[in-house]
Amino acid sequence: MATPILKVGCSLVFTISLLASTLAQSDTYIIHMDRSAMPKAFTDHHNWYLATISSVSDTAKSTFTRTSKHIYTYTSSVQGFSASLTKSELEALKKSPGYISSTRDRKIKVHTTHTSEFLGLSSSSGAWPTANYGEDMIIGLVDTGIWPESESFSDEGMTEVPSRWKGKCEPGTQFNSSMCNKKLIGARYYNKGLLANDPKIKISMNSTRDTDGHGTHTSSTAAGNYVKGASYFGYANGTSSGMAPRARIAMYKAIWRYGVYESDVLAAIDQAIQDGVDILSLSLTVAIEDDFFLEDDTIAIASFAAMEKGVFVAASAGNAGPNYYTLVNGAPWMLTIGAGTIDREFEGVLTLGNGNQISFPTVYPGNYSLSHKPLVFMDGCESVNELKKVKNKIIVCKDNLTFSDQIDNAASARVSGAVFISNHTSPSEFYTRSSFPAVYIGLQDGQRVIDYIKESKDPRGTVVFRKTVTGTKPAPRVDGYSGRGPFASCRSVLKPDLLAPGTLVLASWSPISSVAEVRSHSLFSKFNLLSGTSMATPHVAGVAALIKKAHPDWSPAAIRSALMTTADSLDNTLSPIKDASNNNLPATPIDIGSGHINPNKSLDPGLIYDATAEDYIKLLCAMNYTNKQIQIITRSSHHDCKNRSLDLNYPSFIAYFDSYDSGSKEKVVHKFQRTLTNVGERMSSYTAKLLGMDGIKVSVEPQKLVFKKEHEKLSYTLTLEGPKSLEEDVIHGSLSWVHDGGKYVVRSPIVATSVTP
Ligand SMILES: *[C@@H]1O[C@H](CO)[C@@H](O)[C@H](O)[C@H]1NC(C)=O
Ligand SMILES: *[C@@H]1O[C@H](CO)[C@@H](O)[C@H](O)[C@H]1NC(C)=O
Ligand SMILES: *[C@@H]1O[C@H](CO)[C@@H](O)[C@H](O)[C@H]1NC(C)=O
Ligand SMILES: *[C@@H]1O[C@H](CO)[C@@H](O)[C@H](O)[C@H]1NC(C)=O
Ligand SMILES: *[C@@H]1O[C@H](CO)[C@@H](O)[C@H](O)[C@H]1NC(C)=O
Ligand SMILES: *[C@@H]1O[C@H](CO)[C@@H](O)[C@H](O)[C@H]1NC(C)=O
Ligand SMILES: *[C@@H]1O[C@H](CO)[C@@H](O)[C@H](O)[C@H]1NC(C)=O
Ligand SMILES: *[C@@H]1O[C@H](CO)[C@@H](O)[C@H](O)[C@H]1NC(C)=O
Ligand SMILES: *[C@@H]1O[C@H](CO)[C@@H](O)[C@H](O)[C@H]1NC(C)=O
C-alpha cells in the first residue's frame, strides 16, 4: 500500500477535514490505455475502464467507488480515461492489462469589425462570396463559454443545421436548449476534472453561459453574424462580423474562472471530434516546463486525432514573447498562430489654448469631458495631498517616478484629468485603459506643453477621446507578446506558421463581465477590445472554414499550406513586416512564420504541400520517439519506424547551424525534399525564385515544375550550403514558385539559425 512518507504528507489534510480525507489522498490522472488489449468480455471501452478502476480500488469495490473515481472516458482524442486515484491505486493500475502511461491532470493556461476589412474581405468579390461566407462549416471552440443572446449569434440568414451534426445544446444554469439556433448549434460544458481537483469549488454558472467574455469574443471573431453599430464606447465603431459570417459555432466550455484542467479540456476536444466539427479553434495550452515531449502535451495528442479525422486545428502560439523558444502549441499537425497589430489606432486629442494639438493613444471609455480647463504643471506628481488640492484642473506630471506611481497618485487624488509625460513612446494597453481622463505623451510633446504653461498667463487645455483612426502605417507588425519560435519540442519544423490580427480586436463580450472601471464604477459593454494570440487564432479558424467550404476534400495539411504559402510577407508600406518589440526592425520567420494571413489568396493557392498522418509518424520516428511514445500520440500500435524522416513535407524550411566559432572554416550542407500538388490550373508551369539567405548558398533542383494535370504531384530538392557555424542568430530568405502566367506565387520562408533553447 502507500508508503509511510506519503501518509505523513497527507495527515495534515486529514486534520483539516475528515470528510474530504478520501479525496485528499487522491490526485487526478489522465491514463492512456491500449484499446487493442481490451478483453473480449467487454463490449465497450468505457465499461472496461470502469472495471479496471474498480479492480485497483483501495476501498470496497462497490459501484460507488468506481464511478466516483472515474472522471471521463475519452473516445476520440486519446485512448484512455481520467480518474482520481491514490498513489497505491495508480501503482496497481500500472500493472493492469492495456495500461500504457499516465500523467497528472495539469492546469491549462488561457491565452488571453474592422479586422475583416483590413484582411481584404469584401461582399462584392473575393474570399467571402467565393466560399459563400463559410456556409455550413462548423467551428468548434474550447473556451469560457458563450453569451447566446449576443447579436453576433443571431441566426438571421442561416440555413437549416446540417443533418451530419451530432452535437447538442446542453441545459444548465441560465441556459436551456432553446438558446441554441442555426448559428450557435452546440453548447456543452466540462467541469468534472476541475471539481475532482478542487472539490470545495462552488460553481455558480454551471452551464455554457459565458461569465467571462473570452469565449464570446473568440467565437464571434471566428463566425459571428453581422452586427451594425458595434463599438467599444464609441471606439472601433462600425459593423462587426466574424471571418466566416455564415459558418456555425459549437462552444465547448472548459475554461472556468476557478481554474482549467487538462482532463476537462480533453473531454471537450473529444466530444467536439465526435460531434463533427470541421475546425477547432484553441486559444489555450497545457502549462508544462520547457523541453517536453510531444506525447506529454495532451492538446497536441488530441489534435493528432482531430487531424486524422480531417478536422483542422488552429492554435495560439501563446503570449510569452518576444524571446526565442517562447512559443507553445507547435506540434507539426496543428497550425500555430502569432498575433499582429492592425491598421487601426484609438486616439484622443489634447488641444492647448494656443491651438497646438497633440494626439495620443487611448481607449478611455468614460464621459468626463475636459473642455477649456486650466492646465497646471505639478512636476513629479509625487504627493497625493498636493494633487488633491487641485480642483477642476488638468494636472501635468513629469518626473523620475515610474509611470504607474504617477497614475496611481492621480487616480487616488481623483483629479479631473491628467497629462503624463514620459519617454515611453507608446504606453502599454494597460495604461491606455485608464479609469480617468488621462493623456500619455512623449518627452518632446511634453516639453511643448510645459513651455506653453510657463509662457501663458492662463494656460488651458481641451481633451477629447474616442477617435478611431484607420489606415495607420506600418501594419501589420508582430506584437511584442506574440510567442516566438523555434518550437523546442520539435525543432525541425519552423513555427509559428503565420500571423493574424491579435491586437485590440473588437468582438462581442459577455454583458455581465466588466470591461473597464471609471471612477471605481465597473463598466459593462456588449463589445470589448482585446489583445492576444487568443484573438488571432479564431481569425484563422474562420478563414480555414472559408477554405474548407470552397475545397471540401482538402486535408488539414492542404488548408494549412494554402494559408501559409499565400501569407503576406510585406506590410501596408510594402516593406517587410516589422517587430513592434524590436524597435520596428524587420521581423524574421521565427517571429511571423510565413507572414500575415491573406484570406483572398488562400482560397486559390495554385499548389499545395500535403501531408498525411503517416508523414507525421515518420517524423516522430526520426525524432527517436519510442513505440510507446508514438502509440500515445497515434492511438495505434502498428508502427515499425522502418521509414523515418525529419524532413516533413511542410510549406517552410528551417536548418540549424552551430553558434559562431571564428576558427571554424568547415562547410555543411542541408537538403530538403518537398512535393507539390497542383490544385490550380490543369496545365501550368512554375519557376523557382530565391530571395535572401546572405552568406548561404541556396539552390533548387529542378528549377522549373511543369504540371500537366490536376492533382499531379511533382517533387524538388532545396539545398543550403553554408559555414558550419553562423555569426548571426537568424538568416532568412524565401523560395517562391512563381506561376508562369503570373497568377500564383507559392512562397515558403527559409530560415538558417544558430539559436538554441
Ligand atoms: C480581396 O478581394 C476584395 C474583392 O475583390 C478586394 O477588394 C480586396 O482588395 C482583396 N484583398 C486583398 C488583400 O487582396
Ligand atoms: C428557455 O429559457 C427562456 C428564457 O428563460 C424561456 O423563454 C424558454 O421558454 C425556455 N425554453 C425551454 C425549452 O425551456
Ligand atoms: C452541473 O450540471 C450537471 C448537469 O446538469 C450536473 O451533472 C452537475 O452535477 C452540476 N455540477 C454542479 C457543480 O452543480
Ligand atoms: C457610429 O457611427 C455611426 C455612423 O458613422 C453614428 O451614427 C453613430 O452615432 C456612431 N456610434 C457611436 C456609439 O459612436
Ligand atoms: C456616456 O453617456 C452615454 C449617453 O448619455 C451613456 O449611454 C453611457 O452609458 C455613458 N458612458 C459612461 C461610461 O458613463
Ligand atoms: C531624477 O533624479 C535624479 C537623481 O535623483 C536627479 O539628478 C535628476 O535631476 C532627476 N530628473 C528629473 C527630470 O527630475
Ligand atoms: C527612459 O526611461 C528608461 C527607463 O524606463 C531610462 O532607462 C532611460 O534613461 C530614459 N530615457 C530618457 C531619455 O529619459
Ligand atoms: C536519433 O538517434 C540517432 C542514432 O542515435 C542519432 O544519430 C540522431 O541524431 C537522433 N535524432 C534526433 C532527432 O535526436
Ligand atoms: C516507406 O517509404 C517508401 C517510399 O516512400 C514506401 O514505398 C514504403 O511503402 C514505405 N514503407 C512503410 C513500411 O511505410
Side-chain angles (χ1 to χ4, degrees):
M1 298 309 260
T3 64
I5 295 162
L6 278 164
K7 287 278 187 208
V8 175
C10 292
S11 61
L12 277 173
V13 183
F14 289 158
T15 58
I16 295 162
S17 161
L18 258 175
L19 228 163
S21 65
T22 42
L23 287 166
Q25 294 180 77
S26 303
D27 287 312
T28 67
Y29 294 90
I30 293 166
I31 295 105
H32 296 272
M33 300 287 285
D34 181 355
R35 253 160 77 174
S36 64
M38 182 171 82
K40 294 252 173 348
F42 293 99
T43 48
D44 69 39
H45 58 289
H46 177 65
N47 285 321
W48 176 40
Y49 299 154
L50 289 184
T52 304
I53 295 172
S54 166
S55 72
V56 302
S57 177
D58 286 345
T59 43
K61 293 177 176 29
S62 66
T63 322
F64 170 75
T65 351
R66 74 184 199 199
T67 48
S68 68
K69 287 184 173 297
H70 170 267
I71 302 172
Y72 295 107
T73 285
Y74 304 114
T75 302
S76 303
S77 54
V78 301
Q79 285 190 356
F81 57 92
S82 48
S84 291
L85 301 170
T86 62
K87 286 277 169 200
S88 65
E89 287 167 339
L90 180 67
E91 288 313 312
L93 183 70
K94 287 182 179 171
K95 298 186 190 85
S96 300
Y99 171 90
I100 300 176
S101 72
S102 55
T103 53
R104 272 286 291 278
D105 193 11
R106 289 161 298 188
K107 282 213 168 181
I108 294 273
K109 261 196 227 160
V110 183
H111 299 143
T112 321
T113 76
H114 173 78
T115 51
S116 60
E117 281 167 41
F118 180 50
L119 292 173
L121 289 165
S122 119
S123 55
S124 50
S125 61
W128 270 356
T130 308
N132 214 2
Y133 305 86
E135 186 178 283
D136 267 359
M137 288 294 114
I138 302 164
I139 302 177
L141 300 101
V142 179
D143 215 304
T144 61
I146 196 161
W147 193 265
E149 292 85 3
S150 161
E151 286 171 83
S152 291
F153 311 124
S154 143
D155 64 359
E156 207 191 309
M158 302 287 294
T159 52
E160 288 306 315
V161 177
S163 57
R164 67 189 169 94
W165 176 242
K166 298 195 207 61
K168 266 190 15 188
C169 194
E170 279 177 356
T173 317
Q174 293 178 39
F175 207 104
N176 66 30
S177 58
S178 45
M179 285 165 188
C180 287
N181 58 19
K182 290 180 252 173
K183 163 65 70 181
L184 175 62
I185 63 170
R188 301 185 189 254
Y189 53 104
Y190 300 86
N191 54 32
K192 285 200 266 177
L194 172 67
L195 290 167
N197 279 287
D198 192 348
K200 289 194 220 64
I201 287 173
K202 294 269 171 294
I203 290 176
S204 54
M205 191 67 80
N206 187 29
S207 73
T208 316
R209 186 172 290 280
D210 184 7
T211 55
D212 175 276
H214 191 276
T216 301
H217 202 277
T218 54
S219 41
S220 58
T221 300
N225 213 329
Y226 297 91
V227 184
K228 288 205 183 97
S231 84
Y232 175 77
F233 300 100
Y235 294 100
N237 180 11
T239 298
S240 94
S241 89
M243 288 295 104
R246 289 288 171 264
R248 307 186 197 266
I249 296 165
M251 174 54 67
Y252 299 83
K253 177 175 176 180
I255 303 178
W256 303 83
R257 74 165 95 133
Y258 323 95
V260 193
Y261 281 90
E262 218 176 346
S263 52
D264 289 327
V265 169
L266 204 48
I269 299 177
D270 202 76
Q271 190 63 54
I273 296 172
Q274 289 174 60
D275 286 350
V277 302
D278 297 298
I279 313 284
L280 258 178
S281 182
L282 302 177
S283 294
L284 37 79
T285 187
V286 184
I288 29 189
E289 331 68 74
D290 311 332
D291 236 9
F292 59 93
F293 289 104
L294 288 171
E295 105 273 357
D296 214 16
D297 178 351
T298 20
I299 291 183
I301 304 175
S303 300
F304 191 93
M307 174 275 297
E308 281 188 307
K309 300 223 161 53
V311 178
F312 179 85
V313 183
S316 49
N319 302 331
N323 294 333
Y324 294 130
Y325 291 104
T326 47
L327 168 147
V328 295
N329 289 330
W333 45 85
M334 303 160 90
L335 187 90
T336 312
I337 300 148
T341 63
I342 56 184
D343 67 337
R344 176 179 67 190
E345 279 164 22
F346 305 115
E347 291 186 348
V349 178
L350 163 67
T351 307
L352 303 177
N354 63 9
N356 268 339
Q357 292 202 318
I358 299 165
S359 58
F360 59 94
T362 181
V363 289
Y364 171 67
N367 280 337
Y368 298 95
S369 62
L370 296 175
S371 180
H372 217 59
K373 286 251 166 37
L375 281 166
V376 49
F377 182 48
M378 307 286 293
D379 286 308
C381 295
E382 276 153 347
S383 155
V384 177
N385 283 336
E386 285 300 309
L387 296 179
K388 273 185 180 156
K389 289 180 198 153
V390 183
K391 294 276 182 251
N392 216 13
K393 290 181 180 164
I394 302 173
I395 61 158
V396 177
C397 310
K398 183 198 178 206
D399 182 80
N400 282 344
L401 265 191
T402 62
F403 234 18
S404 59
D405 288 337
Q406 290 186 355
I407 295 159
D408 286 350
N409 288 353
S412 49
R414 300 181 78 84
V415 299
S416 305
V419 176
F420 298 105
I421 301 168
S422 90
N423 74 359
H424 293 261
T425 42
S426 52
S428 73
E429 210 178 309
F430 175 75
Y431 294 125
T432 60
R433 280 186 182 255
S434 59
S435 68
F436 59 95
V439 175
Y440 299 99
I441 55 180
L443 296 176
Q444 234 178 342
D445 285 333
Q447 201 52 52
R448 280 162 66 195
V449 175
I450 294 169
D451 291 347
Y452 164 68
I453 293 173
K454 283 184 180 150
E455 285 155 14
S456 170
K457 286 201 196 74
D458 180 22
R460 282 174 186 265
T462 295
V463 187
V464 296
F465 292 92
R466 294 206 181 86
K467 277 191 136 46
T468 301
V469 184
T470 57
T472 58
K473 291 174 179 175
R477 289 174 295 155
V478 56
D479 215 337
Y481 57 81
S482 188
R484 312 298 165 97
F487 181 51
S489 308
C490 182
R491 295 167 82 225
S492 52
V493 174
L494 173 62
K495 292 278 175 170
D497 293 309
L498 43 70
L499 287 189
T503 296
L504 289 169
V505 171
L506 183 80
S508 286
W509 193 249
S510 167
I512 60 167
S513 177
S514 141
V515 290
E517 263 198 14
V518 164
R519 304 279 185 215
S520 1
H521 288 293
S522 292
L523 297 182
F524 299 89
S525 168
K526 289 197 268 182
F527 291 87
N528 197 3
L529 291 167
L530 287 193
S531 299
T533 51
S534 276
M535 281 63 244
T537 301
H539 279 99
V540 179
V543 177
L546 298 177
I547 301 177
K548 191 154 182 178
K549 173 68 187 177
H551 307 282
D553 56 331
W554 282 12
S555 69
I559 296 173
R560 172 178 60 207
S561 176
L563 287 163
M564 288 173 66
T565 61
T566 59
D568 293 323
S569 60
L570 304 180
D571 62 21
N572 60 5
T573 68
L574 300 181
S575 51
I577 292 176
K578 298 177 179 66
D579 184 349
S581 66
N582 188 18
N583 294 318
N584 275 344
L585 289 168
T588 79
I590 287 182
D591 309 309
I592 65 169
S594 297
H596 195 258
I597 187 170
N598 184 327
N600 279 4
K601 287 189 186 160
S602 69
L603 255 68
D604 189 12
L607 305 173
I608 51 171
Y609 294 88
D610 211 346
T612 62
E614 275 310 309
D615 296 321
Y616 299 116
I617 295 167
K618 278 197 221 167
L619 173 71
L620 295 172
C621 288
M623 287 166 75
N624 294 333
Y625 273 41
T626 64
N627 276 339
K628 187 169 122 180
Q629 287 175 308
I630 295 175
Q631 185 176 0
I632 292 170
I633 296 170
T634 62
R635 309 168 328 287
S636 147
S637 49
H638 313 292
H639 308 291
D640 56 12
C641 275
K642 281 208 181 95
N643 280 346
R644 41 176 75 210
S645 170
L646 287 176
D647 192 15
L648 184 65
N649 195 39
Y650 211 79
S652 58
F653 304 90
I654 185 164
Y656 292 87
F657 292 77
D658 290 347
S659 48
Y660 193 54
D661 167 5
S662 58
S664 168
K665 293 272 175 291
E666 231 178 301
K667 291 266 173 200
V668 290
V669 172
H670 293 266
K671 272 191 192 298
F672 301 88
Q673 180 87 30
R674 292 288 186 275
T675 300
L676 281 160
T677 307
N678 182 20
V679 294
E681 289 168 356
R682 197 165 54 86
M683 304 270 284
S684 52
S685 55
Y686 290 80
T687 307
K689 183 179 148 203
L690 289 162
L691 272 182
M693 303 305 291
D694 296 340
I696 292 185
K697 210 172 112 197
V698 192
S699 58
V700 184
E701 184 55 43
Q703 289 173 23
K704 202 163 177 80
L705 297 175
V706 181
F707 293 91
K708 298 196 182 62
K709 50 182 194 273
E710 262 178 275
H711 303 298
E712 185 180 356
K713 290 180 189 289
L714 293 176
S715 298
Y716 68 88
T717 305
L718 175 83
T719 307
L720 304 185
E721 189 186 338
K724 191 162 179 289
S725 69
L726 290 188
E727 209 165 336
E728 299 85 352
D729 276 359
V730 179
I731 295 175
H732 66 100
S734 64
L735 162 64
S736 297
W737 287 99
V738 183
H739 180 247
D740 285 354
K743 189 167 174 195
Y744 305 106
V745 177
V746 185
R747 186 180 158 280
S748 294
I750 308 171
V751 167
T753 183
S754 59
V755 301
T756 47

